[in-house]
mmCIF file with all atom_site columns, all heavy atoms in Angstrom:
data_model
loop_
_atom_site.group_PDB
_atom_site.id
_atom_site.type_symbol
_atom_site.label_atom_id
_atom_site.label_alt_id
_atom_site.label_comp_id
_atom_site.label_asym_id
_atom_site.label_entity_id
_atom_site.label_seq_id
_atom_site.pdbx_PDB_ins_code
_atom_site.Cartn_x
_atom_site.Cartn_y
_atom_site.Cartn_z
_atom_site.occupancy
_atom_site.B_iso_or_equiv
_atom_site.pdbx_formal_charge
_atom_site.auth_seq_id
_atom_site.auth_comp_id
_atom_site.auth_asym_id
_atom_site.auth_atom_id
_atom_site.pdbx_PDB_model_num
ATOM 1  N N   . ARG H 1 34 ? 0.247   -22.542 -150.597 1.00 97.00 ? 1529 ARG H N   1
ATOM 2  C CA  . ARG H 1 34 ? -1.154  -22.920 -150.587 1.00 97.00 ? 1529 ARG H CA  1
ATOM 3  C C   . ARG H 1 34 ? -1.612  -22.953 -149.133 1.00 97.00 ? 1529 ARG H C   1
ATOM 4  O O   . ARG H 1 34 ? -0.931  -23.547 -148.288 1.00 97.00 ? 1529 ARG H O   1
ATOM 5  C CB  . ARG H 1 34 ? -1.358  -24.285 -151.247 1.00 97.00 ? 1529 ARG H CB  1
ATOM 6  C CG  . ARG H 1 34 ? -2.817  -24.690 -151.325 1.00 97.00 ? 1529 ARG H CG  1
ATOM 7  C CD  . ARG H 1 34 ? -2.997  -25.881 -152.233 1.00 97.00 ? 1529 ARG H CD  1
ATOM 8  N NE  . ARG H 1 34 ? -2.564  -25.597 -153.626 1.00 97.00 ? 1529 ARG H NE  1
ATOM 9  C CZ  . ARG H 1 34 ? -2.345  -26.498 -154.533 1.00 97.00 ? 1529 ARG H CZ  1
ATOM 10 N NH1 . ARG H 1 34 ? -2.461  -27.814 -154.220 1.00 97.00 ? 1529 ARG H NH1 1
ATOM 11 N NH2 . ARG H 1 34 ? -1.998  -26.180 -155.751 1.00 97.00 ? 1529 ARG H NH2 1
ATOM 12 N N   . VAL H 1 35 ? -2.707  -22.316 -148.863 1.00 96.00 ? 1530 VAL H N   1
ATOM 13 C CA  . VAL H 1 35 ? -3.208  -22.251 -147.502 1.00 96.00 ? 1530 VAL H CA  1
ATOM 14 C C   . VAL H 1 35 ? -4.599  -22.832 -147.486 1.00 96.00 ? 1530 VAL H C   1
ATOM 15 O O   . VAL H 1 35 ? -5.426  -22.517 -148.350 1.00 96.00 ? 1530 VAL H O   1
ATOM 16 C CB  . VAL H 1 35 ? -3.239  -20.774 -146.996 1.00 96.00 ? 1530 VAL H CB  1
ATOM 17 C CG1 . VAL H 1 35 ? -3.789  -20.710 -145.558 1.00 96.00 ? 1530 VAL H CG1 1
ATOM 18 C CG2 . VAL H 1 35 ? -1.849  -20.145 -147.071 1.00 96.00 ? 1530 VAL H CG2 1
ATOM 19 N N   . ASN H 1 36 ? -4.861  -23.716 -146.550 1.00 95.00 ? 1531 ASN H N   1
ATOM 20 C CA  . ASN H 1 36 ? -6.161  -24.329 -146.434 1.00 95.00 ? 1531 ASN H CA  1
ATOM 21 C C   . ASN H 1 36 ? -6.679  -24.196 -144.989 1.00 95.00 ? 1531 ASN H C   1
ATOM 22 O O   . ASN H 1 36 ? -6.098  -24.775 -144.081 1.00 95.00 ? 1531 ASN H O   1
ATOM 23 C CB  . ASN H 1 36 ? -6.070  -25.821 -146.842 1.00 95.00 ? 1531 ASN H CB  1
ATOM 24 C CG  . ASN H 1 36 ? -7.401  -26.505 -146.816 1.00 95.00 ? 1531 ASN H CG  1
ATOM 25 O OD1 . ASN H 1 36 ? -8.431  -25.857 -146.876 1.00 95.00 ? 1531 ASN H OD1 1
ATOM 26 N ND2 . ASN H 1 36 ? -7.372  -27.847 -146.776 1.00 95.00 ? 1531 ASN H ND2 1
ATOM 27 N N   . ALA H 1 37 ? -7.708  -23.390 -144.815 1.00 91.00 ? 1532 ALA H N   1
ATOM 28 C CA  . ALA H 1 37 ? -8.253  -23.205 -143.473 1.00 91.00 ? 1532 ALA H CA  1
ATOM 29 C C   . ALA H 1 37 ? -9.597  -23.982 -143.394 1.00 91.00 ? 1532 ALA H C   1
ATOM 30 O O   . ALA H 1 37 ? -10.441 -23.854 -144.262 1.00 91.00 ? 1532 ALA H O   1
ATOM 31 C CB  . ALA H 1 37 ? -8.479  -21.754 -143.218 1.00 91.00 ? 1532 ALA H CB  1
ATOM 32 N N   . ASN H 1 38 ? -9.706  -24.785 -142.345 1.00 87.00 ? 1533 ASN H N   1
ATOM 33 C CA  . ASN H 1 38 ? -10.898 -25.612 -142.180 1.00 87.00 ? 1533 ASN H CA  1
ATOM 34 C C   . ASN H 1 38 ? -11.334 -25.380 -140.747 1.00 87.00 ? 1533 ASN H C   1
ATOM 35 O O   . ASN H 1 38 ? -10.703 -25.848 -139.792 1.00 87.00 ? 1533 ASN H O   1
ATOM 36 C CB  . ASN H 1 38 ? -10.485 -27.099 -142.392 1.00 87.00 ? 1533 ASN H CB  1
ATOM 37 C CG  . ASN H 1 38 ? -11.695 -27.962 -142.493 1.00 87.00 ? 1533 ASN H CG  1
ATOM 38 O OD1 . ASN H 1 38 ? -12.819 -27.538 -142.218 1.00 87.00 ? 1533 ASN H OD1 1
ATOM 39 N ND2 . ASN H 1 38 ? -11.469 -29.214 -142.870 1.00 87.00 ? 1533 ASN H ND2 1
ATOM 40 N N   . HIS H 1 39 ? -12.469 -24.652 -140.591 1.00 86.00 ? 1534 HIS H N   1
ATOM 41 C CA  . HIS H 1 39 ? -12.894 -24.229 -139.304 1.00 86.00 ? 1534 HIS H CA  1
ATOM 42 C C   . HIS H 1 39 ? -11.776 -23.425 -138.624 1.00 86.00 ? 1534 HIS H C   1
ATOM 43 O O   . HIS H 1 39 ? -11.299 -22.482 -139.178 1.00 86.00 ? 1534 HIS H O   1
ATOM 44 C CB  . HIS H 1 39 ? -13.405 -25.376 -138.416 1.00 86.00 ? 1534 HIS H CB  1
ATOM 45 C CG  . HIS H 1 39 ? -14.562 -26.096 -139.067 1.00 86.00 ? 1534 HIS H CG  1
ATOM 46 N ND1 . HIS H 1 39 ? -15.791 -25.530 -139.216 1.00 86.00 ? 1534 HIS H ND1 1
ATOM 47 C CD2 . HIS H 1 39 ? -14.617 -27.316 -139.644 1.00 86.00 ? 1534 HIS H CD2 1
ATOM 48 C CE1 . HIS H 1 39 ? -16.608 -26.393 -139.842 1.00 86.00 ? 1534 HIS H CE1 1
ATOM 49 N NE2 . HIS H 1 39 ? -15.896 -27.446 -140.118 1.00 86.00 ? 1534 HIS H NE2 1
ATOM 50 N N   . LYS H 1 40 ? -11.286 -23.967 -137.470 1.00 91.00 ? 1535 LYS H N   1
ATOM 51 C CA  . LYS H 1 40 ? -10.249 -23.168 -136.808 1.00 91.00 ? 1535 LYS H CA  1
ATOM 52 C C   . LYS H 1 40 ? -8.840  -23.661 -137.129 1.00 91.00 ? 1535 LYS H C   1
ATOM 53 O O   . LYS H 1 40 ? -7.865  -23.116 -136.620 1.00 91.00 ? 1535 LYS H O   1
ATOM 54 C CB  . LYS H 1 40 ? -10.447 -23.226 -135.284 1.00 91.00 ? 1535 LYS H CB  1
ATOM 55 C CG  . LYS H 1 40 ? -11.597 -22.371 -134.839 1.00 91.00 ? 1535 LYS H CG  1
ATOM 56 C CD  . LYS H 1 40 ? -11.899 -22.592 -133.404 1.00 91.00 ? 1535 LYS H CD  1
ATOM 57 C CE  . LYS H 1 40 ? -13.157 -21.781 -133.012 1.00 91.00 ? 1535 LYS H CE  1
ATOM 58 N NZ  . LYS H 1 40 ? -13.829 -22.354 -131.850 1.00 91.00 ? 1535 LYS H NZ  1
ATOM 59 N N   . LEU H 1 41 ? -8.787  -24.734 -137.893 1.00 96.00 ? 1536 LEU H N   1
ATOM 60 C CA  . LEU H 1 41 ? -7.482  -25.312 -138.171 1.00 96.00 ? 1536 LEU H CA  1
ATOM 61 C C   . LEU H 1 41 ? -6.954  -24.870 -139.534 1.00 96.00 ? 1536 LEU H C   1
ATOM 62 O O   . LEU H 1 41 ? -7.699  -24.711 -140.482 1.00 96.00 ? 1536 LEU H O   1
ATOM 63 C CB  . LEU H 1 41 ? -7.555  -26.858 -138.141 1.00 96.00 ? 1536 LEU H CB  1
ATOM 64 C CG  . LEU H 1 41 ? -7.946  -27.429 -136.812 1.00 96.00 ? 1536 LEU H CG  1
ATOM 65 C CD1 . LEU H 1 41 ? -8.055  -28.954 -136.876 1.00 96.00 ? 1536 LEU H CD1 1
ATOM 66 C CD2 . LEU H 1 41 ? -6.951  -27.029 -135.702 1.00 96.00 ? 1536 LEU H CD2 1
ATOM 67 N N   . ILE H 1 42 ? -5.630  -24.693 -139.594 1.00 96.00 ? 1537 ILE H N   1
ATOM 68 C CA  . ILE H 1 42 ? -5.046  -24.204 -140.823 1.00 96.00 ? 1537 ILE H CA  1
ATOM 69 C C   . ILE H 1 42 ? -3.847  -25.068 -141.208 1.00 96.00 ? 1537 ILE H C   1
ATOM 70 O O   . ILE H 1 42 ? -3.086  -25.507 -140.367 1.00 96.00 ? 1537 ILE H O   1
ATOM 71 C CB  . ILE H 1 42 ? -4.645  -22.719 -140.678 1.00 96.00 ? 1537 ILE H CB  1
ATOM 72 C CG1 . ILE H 1 42 ? -4.134  -22.175 -141.980 1.00 96.00 ? 1537 ILE H CG1 1
ATOM 73 C CG2 . ILE H 1 42 ? -3.619  -22.502 -139.571 1.00 96.00 ? 1537 ILE H CG2 1
ATOM 74 C CD1 . ILE H 1 42 ? -4.015  -20.655 -142.010 1.00 96.00 ? 1537 ILE H CD1 1
ATOM 75 N N   . ASP H 1 43 ? -3.761  -25.350 -142.500 1.00 97.00 ? 1538 ASP H N   1
ATOM 76 C CA  . ASP H 1 43 ? -2.589  -26.002 -143.091 1.00 97.00 ? 1538 ASP H CA  1
ATOM 77 C C   . ASP H 1 43 ? -1.986  -25.024 -144.094 1.00 97.00 ? 1538 ASP H C   1
ATOM 78 O O   . ASP H 1 43 ? -2.726  -24.276 -144.743 1.00 97.00 ? 1538 ASP H O   1
ATOM 79 C CB  . ASP H 1 43 ? -2.970  -27.275 -143.842 1.00 97.00 ? 1538 ASP H CB  1
ATOM 80 C CG  . ASP H 1 43 ? -3.457  -28.404 -142.926 1.00 97.00 ? 1538 ASP H CG  1
ATOM 81 O OD1 . ASP H 1 43 ? -2.570  -29.011 -142.265 1.00 97.00 ? 1538 ASP H OD1 1
ATOM 82 O OD2 . ASP H 1 43 ? -4.689  -28.614 -142.857 1.00 97.00 ? 1538 ASP H OD2 1
ATOM 83 N N   . ALA H 1 44 ? -0.677  -25.078 -144.224 1.00 97.00 ? 1539 ALA H N   1
ATOM 84 C CA  . ALA H 1 44 ? -0.034  -24.253 -145.275 1.00 97.00 ? 1539 ALA H CA  1
ATOM 85 C C   . ALA H 1 44 ? 1.146   -25.039 -145.827 1.00 97.00 ? 1539 ALA H C   1
ATOM 86 O O   . ALA H 1 44 ? 1.841   -25.742 -145.110 1.00 97.00 ? 1539 ALA H O   1
ATOM 87 C CB  . ALA H 1 44 ? 0.423   -22.921 -144.680 1.00 97.00 ? 1539 ALA H CB  1
#
Side-chain angles (χ1 to χ4, degrees):
R1529 184 168 298 164
V1530 180
N1531 183 18
N1533 191 351
H1534 301 291
K1535 285 173 186 157
L1536 297 178
I1537 184 166
D1538 290 284

